[in-house]
Amino acid sequence: MKSSVPLLDIITRYIVKRKGKKIRPMFVFFSAELYGGITNSTYRAATLIELLHTATLVHDDVVDDSNKRRSFFSINALWKNKIAVLVGDFLLSRGLLVAMNNNDYELLKIVSNSVKEMSEGELLQIEKARNLDIEESIYFEIIRKKTASLIASCCACGASSAGANKTIVEKMYKFGETAGIAFQLKDDLFDYEKNMETGKPHGIDIKEHKMTLPLIYMLCTMKYSDRRRVINIVKNHSDNHEKVADVIKLVNESGGIPYTKQKMLEYRQSAIGMLHEFPENTARESLEKLIQFIVERKK
Amino acid sequence: MKSSVPLLDIITRYIVKRKGKKIRPMFVFFSAELYGGITNSTYRAATLIELLHTATLVHDDVVDDSNKRRSFFSINALWKNKIAVLVGDFLLSRGLLVAMNNNDYELLKIVSNSVKEMSEGELLQIEKARNLDIEESIYFEIIRKKTASLIASCCACGASSAGANKTIVEKMYKFGETAGIAFQLKDDLFDYEKNMETGKPHGIDIKEHKMTLPLIYMLCTMKYSDRRRVINIVKNHSDNHEKVADVIKLVNESGGIPYTKQKMLEYRQSAIGMLHEFPENTARESLEKLIQFIVERKK
């Protein structure tokens, strides 16, 4: 990521320090091992996807205007929106060039499609947040696009980089997509769980009018007048901490949490079922453990 | 640009209405005609580059926090930063996919490199705006990266799409780069010219601490105490309209404008000189007229 711009180098060094879980590269490497082993192209796929993921996190800092991300200050708060947009664009182009200069065209096709799906998914979420849409099928469409499509690409790129054929690459895509939906369901559950630092749930999704499954389930099972009251809070009083806390309490009492957990476990099971049709080796075991981690993780 | 997201479709329809000069596609088409004629791949190159250019304009709306762009309200002001970032990402990925799905790998390599250069150039400009750097060579480095690299890509992609060989594609890149520098010099001159609506110069660059050539020339020729005074205004009082107007007046008296015009004409001449080494046909005449337009245009 070294560039000829000193300011950019300061920022990329800073980004490298914000270590994430690196779940996406793990999907890439295990998927390659599953079908023939890691190649140089696998490393480039993992690099491309992690750079792209980082670019979207940097752009998200603009998007959500959040002041913190994983306890470090966000790029946005420190260097303002304008720089965050440009750094995101730079990271994305660096990722593309790594693959482009090595003729990894299959990887590029898979990943470019995810870039499109991710931006569509985020925009669909914003649109639905405005109408406070509570259709479960649309919720699943949003998380499939905004989150699952990139994890799907990890698995497809990993297999493709190891030389797997088109049918297998497509199966791996489907497997990653299913695991990615479980991943996002877990993320959406976090918003209703007690925070380790404050002892209170975040409620960030509600504050941003994001209709996630626990809330959608509750609203769908409520009687009309109660539903109107909750929707009114989300729509007009989402900056009121007490009212948001009330909604969180209601969701916890509604059965929305166990319902979402149940769905998450179904997707986990479905992903593991697909996995068992793949060749049996240590990489398959690793992928199974990774999926287990996804639904059990504490952050 | 049709998508499955209604909100996105509303925005892209809105973007299509904001017609620009379409200078970049013209460079692509004329460069293809110059070397064998327009192919389907030429259309995709023009599409890719115009989508990419539009994506950077949409991201610029975030970047500059400007409320207006070409008299329409910016996407940013109407739909906020978050959507502008996502729409920019969507347009960029759509452009990449058009080329990717048609195996236009040479075009993609050329264009991805420009994406990187453009973000580096913008970041370098921000960095230098902070220090109020007045080195002429750095100014030219910034405009080469942020503006000229994409116009260079237009000419290289045009020729490449028509089947030109590597040597020619590189020559066309150099030609476009030279024309692109003249283009940006013209843009930077606009900031010091009387606005057609208000009768006053914009002075936006000064307000954003952008050190463009007219100002750099003046500062380099001033005696120390005067230079300190002007730098103090740009640094600490760029929100004061009267003081900015004073600086614009000083620049106009300093010889910075004719100096910049002189440089612009030198780059124009250099580009035309390169052009005259290319085959003589109607496309070459069109390119010469396009370069003439660039330095004479009124907006």
Side-chain angles (χ1 to χ4, degrees), chain B residues 73-124:
Chain B
F73 288 106
S74 72
I75 301 295
N76 185 17
L78 287 177
W79 287 292
K80 296 206 199 136
N81 271 341
K82 53 190 338 180
I83 298 184
V85 171
L86 293 167
V87 170
D89 291 353
F90 172 78
L91 294 174
L92 177 56
S93 64
R94 282 303 291 130
L96 292 173
L97 280 170
V98 167
M100 207 84 79
N101 291 333
N102 289 282
N103 306 332
D104 294 323
Y105 303 126
E106 281 315 306
L107 308 182
L108 282 163
K109 280 183 193 175
I110 295 165
V111 169
S112 301
N113 192 54
S114 281
V115 177
K116 179 180 84 74
E117 296 248 287
M118 287 158 74
S119 55
E120 281 184 341
E122 294 277 357
L123 285 161
L124 189 58

XYZ file of all heavy atoms in Angstrom, chain B residues 73-124:
407
model
N -28.618 21.085 -7.798
C -28.169 20.730 -6.468
C -27.384 19.435 -6.550
O -27.694 18.565 -7.352
C -29.354 20.553 -5.508
C -29.981 21.845 -5.152
C -31.205 22.191 -5.684
C -29.342 22.734 -4.310
C -31.787 23.398 -5.384
C -29.914 23.948 -4.003
C -31.136 24.292 -4.544
N -26.363 19.320 -5.721
C -25.566 18.098 -5.757
C -26.340 16.960 -5.100
O -27.224 17.172 -4.280
C -24.252 18.302 -5.029
O -24.495 18.366 -3.643
N -25.970 15.739 -5.514
C -26.522 14.539 -4.891
C -26.374 14.633 -3.378
O -27.266 14.296 -2.616
C -25.713 13.306 -5.340
C -25.749 13.144 -6.845
C -26.229 12.036 -4.674
C -27.103 12.847 -7.355
N -25.218 15.120 -2.969
C -24.873 15.246 -1.566
C -25.882 16.066 -0.780
O -26.404 15.628 0.246
C -23.492 15.891 -1.496
C -22.991 15.966 -0.089
O -23.520 15.273 0.774
N -22.010 16.787 0.160
N -26.186 17.255 -1.303
C -27.092 18.137 -0.585
C -28.488 17.536 -0.528
O -29.193 17.668 0.455
C -27.126 19.502 -1.247
N -28.874 16.862 -1.598
C -30.228 16.322 -1.644
C -30.358 15.028 -0.851
O -31.351 14.788 -0.207
C -30.657 16.081 -3.090
C -30.980 17.327 -3.920
C -31.325 16.936 -5.340
C -32.148 18.095 -3.309
N -29.402 14.168 -0.948
C -29.552 12.847 -0.326
C -28.461 12.495 0.678
O -28.321 11.358 1.087
C -29.610 11.762 -1.410
C -30.881 11.741 -2.161
C -32.108 11.400 -1.684
C -31.074 12.070 -3.549
N -33.045 11.494 -2.683
C -32.447 11.894 -3.827
C -30.227 12.476 -4.574
C -32.973 12.122 -5.098
C -30.760 12.708 -5.815
C -32.119 12.531 -6.066
N -27.640 13.470 0.968
C -26.643 13.280 2.015
C -25.432 12.450 1.586
O -25.449 11.663 0.648
C -27.279 12.665 3.253
C -28.330 13.562 3.898
C -28.415 13.224 5.368
C -29.728 13.717 5.947
N -30.309 12.698 6.802
N -24.400 12.648 2.384
C -23.104 12.009 2.138
C -23.150 10.506 1.953
O -22.527 9.951 1.056
C -22.180 12.287 3.325
C -21.400 13.564 3.142
O -21.282 14.057 2.018
N -20.874 14.095 4.209
N -23.894 9.835 2.819
C -23.878 8.372 2.813
C -24.302 7.828 1.455
O -23.685 6.907 0.917
C -24.749 7.799 3.941
C -26.153 8.330 3.973
C -26.993 7.975 5.227
C -26.573 6.780 6.033
N -27.402 6.507 7.195
N -25.345 8.414 0.900
C -25.837 7.925 -0.382
C -24.862 8.270 -1.502
O -24.621 7.466 -2.402
C -27.252 8.472 -0.652
C -28.210 7.960 0.432
C -27.742 8.068 -2.033
C -29.659 8.334 0.236
N -24.254 9.456 -1.424
C -23.296 9.864 -2.463
C -22.128 8.875 -2.548
O -21.699 8.490 -3.643
C -22.783 11.269 -2.188
N -21.630 8.459 -1.406
C -20.518 7.497 -1.405
C -20.949 6.189 -2.063
O -20.248 5.642 -2.920
C -20.027 7.228 0.039
C -19.031 6.085 0.062
C -19.386 8.478 0.611
N -22.121 5.702 -1.679
C -22.592 4.412 -2.185
C -22.905 4.476 -3.675
O -22.612 3.536 -4.420
C -23.827 3.960 -1.401
C -23.548 3.622 0.064
C -24.845 3.506 0.849
C -22.731 2.343 0.173
N -23.509 5.569 -4.111
C -23.821 5.698 -5.535
C -22.526 5.770 -6.351
O -22.412 5.152 -7.412
C -24.718 6.930 -5.799
C -24.852 7.207 -7.285
C -26.103 6.717 -5.186
N -21.532 6.500 -5.846
C -20.227 6.547 -6.509
C -19.629 5.153 -6.632
O -19.155 4.749 -7.702
N -19.677 4.387 -5.549
C -19.155 3.023 -5.571
C -19.923 2.163 -6.577
O -19.336 1.352 -7.294
C -19.250 2.375 -4.180
C -18.290 3.015 -3.179
O -17.478 3.861 -3.591
O -18.362 2.666 -1.991
N -21.239 2.353 -6.610
C -22.072 1.579 -7.542
C -21.689 1.899 -8.991
O -21.493 0.993 -9.805
C -23.556 1.882 -7.303
C -24.467 1.273 -8.342
C -24.790 -0.071 -8.305
C -24.976 2.056 -9.372
C -25.612 -0.633 -9.277
C -25.794 1.507 -10.349
C -26.112 0.157 -10.297
N -21.559 3.185 -9.312
C -21.225 3.587 -10.692
C -19.862 3.028 -11.098
O -19.694 2.510 -12.204
C -21.209 5.109 -10.819
C -22.557 5.804 -10.643
C -22.367 7.314 -10.645
C -23.534 5.386 -11.735
N -18.907 3.117 -10.197
C -17.572 2.589 -10.465
C -17.634 1.088 -10.749
O -17.062 0.599 -11.732
C -16.667 2.887 -9.259
C -15.235 2.367 -9.302
C -14.511 2.877 -10.535
C -14.481 2.808 -8.043
N -18.372 0.362 -9.930
C -18.432 -1.094 -10.121
C -19.193 -1.457 -11.392
O -18.832 -2.407 -12.090
C -19.053 -1.777 -8.900
O -20.392 -1.360 -8.738
N -20.231 -0.695 -11.717
C -20.957 -0.936 -12.966
C -20.034 -0.758 -14.171
O -20.038 -1.544 -15.107
C -22.153 0.017 -13.117
C -23.373 -0.336 -12.321
C -23.888 -1.730 -12.617
N -24.456 -1.856 -13.945
C -24.140 -2.819 -14.802
N -23.235 -3.727 -14.498
N -24.721 -2.886 -15.956
N -19.235 0.303 -14.115
C -18.277 0.552 -15.190
C -17.292 -0.600 -15.321
O -17.028 -1.089 -16.431
N -16.760 -1.042 -14.194
C -15.799 -2.148 -14.221
C -16.437 -3.409 -14.787
O -15.820 -4.132 -15.578
C -15.272 -2.433 -12.808
C -14.391 -1.355 -12.184
C -14.085 -1.695 -10.729
C -13.088 -1.195 -12.969
N -17.687 -3.670 -14.389
C -18.350 -4.906 -14.829
C -18.617 -4.911 -16.328
O -18.508 -5.954 -16.973
C -19.653 -5.120 -14.052
C -19.460 -5.700 -12.654
C -20.764 -5.647 -11.876
C -18.944 -7.138 -12.717
N -18.987 -3.749 -16.878
C -19.219 -3.663 -18.325
C -17.971 -4.144 -19.067
O -18.043 -4.966 -19.991
C -19.557 -2.213 -18.753
C -19.481 -2.051 -20.265
C -20.933 -1.804 -18.255
N -16.821 -3.633 -18.642
C -15.569 -4.005 -19.309
C -15.157 -5.448 -18.970
O -14.736 -6.213 -19.838
C -14.472 -3.031 -18.906
N -15.330 -5.798 -17.689
C -14.917 -7.132 -17.224
C -15.678 -8.225 -17.966
O -15.097 -9.217 -18.397
C -15.230 -7.214 -15.724
C -14.369 -8.151 -14.958
S -12.814 -7.367 -14.475
C -13.323 -6.393 -13.080
N -16.996 -8.057 -18.088
C -17.823 -9.089 -18.702
C -17.573 -9.227 -20.200
O -18.050 -10.161 -20.824
C -19.305 -8.821 -18.429
C -19.626 -9.032 -16.965
O -18.964 -9.813 -16.277
N -20.634 -8.334 -16.468
N -16.836 -8.265 -20.763
C -16.504 -8.363 -22.176
C -15.009 -8.591 -22.403
O -14.515 -8.408 -23.514
C -16.965 -7.093 -22.898
C -18.481 -7.031 -23.009
O -19.062 -7.699 -23.854
N -19.113 -6.280 -22.130
N -14.338 -8.969 -21.326
C -12.904 -9.294 -21.391
C -12.040 -8.157 -21.935
O -11.020 -8.402 -22.581
C -12.686 -10.559 -22.242
C -13.528 -11.727 -21.760
O -13.859 -11.801 -20.578
N -13.880 -12.622 -22.661
N -12.430 -6.915 -21.633
C -11.609 -5.768 -22.056
C -10.494 -5.519 -21.038
O -10.448 -4.467 -20.384
C -12.484 -4.499 -22.140
C -13.522 -4.587 -23.233
O -13.219 -5.157 -24.297
O -14.638 -4.069 -23.012
N -9.579 -6.483 -20.935
C -8.609 -6.413 -19.837
C -7.601 -5.291 -20.005
O -7.168 -4.676 -19.026
C -7.921 -7.766 -19.668
C -8.908 -8.870 -19.413
C -8.937 -10.019 -20.193
C -9.848 -8.742 -18.383
C -9.866 -11.019 -19.963
C -10.787 -9.733 -18.151
C -10.790 -10.871 -18.945
O -11.707 -11.845 -18.710
N -7.214 -4.996 -21.248
C -6.254 -3.907 -21.453
C -6.848 -2.580 -21.000
O -6.198 -1.784 -20.328
C -5.820 -3.830 -22.933
C -4.777 -4.862 -23.331
C -3.638 -4.986 -22.313
O -3.022 -3.966 -21.997
O -3.402 -6.107 -21.821
N -8.109 -2.360 -21.374
C -8.791 -1.137 -20.953
C -8.836 -1.048 -19.435
O -8.586 0.005 -18.843
C -10.227 -1.097 -21.490
C -10.436 -1.311 -22.985
C -11.914 -1.187 -23.325
C -9.627 -0.292 -23.782
N -9.135 -2.178 -18.801
C -9.272 -2.187 -17.348
C -7.955 -1.851 -16.658
O -7.931 -1.138 -15.660
C -9.788 -3.550 -16.881
C -11.287 -3.731 -17.091
C -11.671 -5.194 -17.023
C -12.062 -2.927 -16.056
N -6.852 -2.366 -17.202
C -5.549 -2.067 -16.602
C -5.254 -0.574 -16.683
O -4.808 0.045 -15.723
C -4.443 -2.835 -17.335
C -4.347 -4.281 -16.899
C -3.191 -5.000 -17.586
C -3.340 -6.501 -17.351
N -2.354 -7.296 -18.062
N -5.513 -0.011 -17.854
C -5.247 1.414 -18.057
C -6.091 2.251 -17.090
O -5.596 3.147 -16.413
C -5.538 1.817 -19.525
C -4.573 1.098 -20.478
C -5.457 3.326 -19.712
C -4.989 1.146 -21.954
N -7.381 1.895 -17.020
C -8.306 2.713 -16.232
C -8.096 2.540 -14.721
O -8.148 3.518 -13.969
C -9.763 2.415 -16.646
C -10.743 3.036 -15.684
C -10.004 2.933 -18.059
N -7.834 1.302 -14.271
C -7.613 1.093 -12.831
C -6.421 1.900 -12.344
O -6.413 2.408 -11.223
C -7.337 -0.385 -12.519
O -8.400 -1.170 -12.926
N -5.413 1.990 -13.193
C -4.251 2.778 -12.810
C -4.622 4.257 -12.640
O -4.147 4.921 -11.721
C -3.143 2.611 -13.850
C -1.840 3.167 -13.339
O -1.383 2.797 -12.255
N -1.259 4.093 -14.075
N -5.515 4.733 -13.504
C -5.975 6.117 -13.360
C -6.769 6.328 -12.077
O -6.659 7.381 -11.455
C -6.859 6.521 -14.540
O -6.072 6.825 -15.647
N -7.577 5.329 -11.701
C -8.340 5.462 -10.452
C -7.376 5.676 -9.289
O -7.577 6.549 -8.438
C -9.224 4.219 -10.181
C -9.949 4.354 -8.844
C -10.236 4.027 -11.294
N -6.302 4.886 -9.285
C -5.302 5.025 -8.227
C -4.648 6.411 -8.279
O -4.552 7.105 -7.267
C -4.240 3.935 -8.377
C -3.128 4.001 -7.332
C -2.106 2.912 -7.509
C -1.032 3.228 -8.530
N -0.026 4.195 -8.122
N -4.233 6.814 -9.466
C -3.550 8.099 -9.618
C -4.459 9.261 -9.196
O -4.014 10.211 -8.556
C -3.119 8.298 -11.080
C -2.098 7.289 -11.550
C -0.751 7.937 -11.808
O -0.637 8.655 -12.814
O 0.171 7.709 -10.992
N -5.727 9.166 -9.582
C -6.655 10.247 -9.259
C -6.822 10.404 -7.745
O -6.815 11.523 -7.232
C -8.011 9.996 -9.922
C -7.982 10.232 -11.425
S -9.312 9.366 -12.278
C -10.709 10.363 -11.831
N -6.972 9.279 -7.027
C -7.136 9.406 -5.574
C -5.835 9.891 -4.944
O -5.852 10.707 -4.021
C -7.636 8.099 -4.948
O -6.803 7.022 -5.275
N -4.693 9.416 -5.458
C -3.402 9.914 -4.948
C -3.255 11.421 -5.184
O -2.786 12.149 -4.309
C -2.234 9.188 -5.623
C -1.967 7.805 -5.064
C -0.731 7.164 -5.702
O -0.315 7.608 -6.794
O -0.192 6.229 -5.108
N -3.640 11.859 -6.385
C -3.521 13.282 -6.729
C -4.366 14.155 -5.814
O -3.914 15.198 -5.328
N -5.605 13.724 -5.561
C -6.493 14.496 -4.689
C -5.928 14.555 -3.261
O -5.997 15.585 -2.596
C -7.892 13.855 -4.643
C -8.649 13.895 -5.962
C -9.365 15.224 -6.203
O -9.328 16.104 -5.336
O -9.966 15.374 -7.290
N -5.397 13.405 -2.810
C -4.845 13.369 -1.448
C -3.581 14.217 -1.339
O -3.347 14.879 -0.324
C -4.576 11.924 -1.019
C -5.845 11.131 -0.666
C -5.604 9.635 -0.701
C -6.353 11.550 0.717
N -2.771 14.198 -2.399
C -1.569 15.039 -2.416
C -1.971 16.508 -2.353
O -1.357 17.310 -1.645
C -0.772 14.746 -3.696
C 0.622 15.358 -3.825
C 1.525 14.911 -2.671
C 1.266 14.952 -5.160
